[in-house]
Amino acid sequence: MKIVFRLSAWLLAAAVAFATLGPPNYRPHSHLGQDGEHALAFVLIGLAFGLAYRSHRLLTTGIAVILIGALELAQFLAPGRHARLEDFVVDATTACIGFGLAAALDWLARQIRTQAT
């Protein structure tokens, strides 16, 4: 199961990187607005990586925040893209929330397993 979680996390990260740095007309748009789209994408990233790398969750969270900053800065090199501090704050915050959700799900699963035995 660990392999499935890790593959899913990296595929999701690749999709978000493409949506962030790729041509603007290929970026998906929804009714959530820009901040809502960012929040949804990065909470899923945090959740996916938090489940994929359970034993290194704190380290993975730190690496994720650094890479989110690097992804935002890379937009300076991408035509038609704009790096914004607000995007970084939303992305990093919601990724951390996703990691927190992964930790909460692990805690809940442990509680259920403990009660079942």
Side-chain angles (χ1 to χ4, degrees):
M1 195 63 162
K2 185 189 311 187
I3 292 172
V4 171
F5 280 136
R6 288 183 178 181
L7 180 62
S8 299
W10 284 105
L11 287 174
L12 181 59
V16 168
F18 177 78
T20 301
L21 298 175
N25 56 330
Y26 289 129
R27 188 171 79 80
H29 297 282
S30 72
H31 298 292
L32 298 174
Q34 182 174 350
D35 285 344
E37 290 170 356
H38 281 246
L40 178 61
F42 284 93
V43 78
L44 292 175
I45 292 261
L47 182 60
F49 276 93
L51 293 173
Y53 295 95
R54 287 179 163 97
S55 59
H56 302 288
R57 191 171 288 131
L58 188 58
L59 175 63
T60 308
T61 304
I63 291 170
V65 170
I66 291 167
L67 292 177
I68 289 167
L71 188 60
E72 196 63 33
L73 290 174
Q75 290 187 61
F76 282 122
L77 305 173
R81 295 303 191 156
H82 307 89
R84 297 181 338 160
L85 179 60
E86 177 187 348
D87 288 347
F88 169 74
V89 170
V90 169
D91 299 350
T93 301
T94 55
C96 289
I97 290 169
F99 278 101
L101 288 172
L105 288 174
D106 279 345
W107 177 84
L108 185 60
R110 280 192 308 274
Q111 297 304 310
I112 291 170
R113 278 193 301 265
T114 302
Q115 290 178 357
T117 58

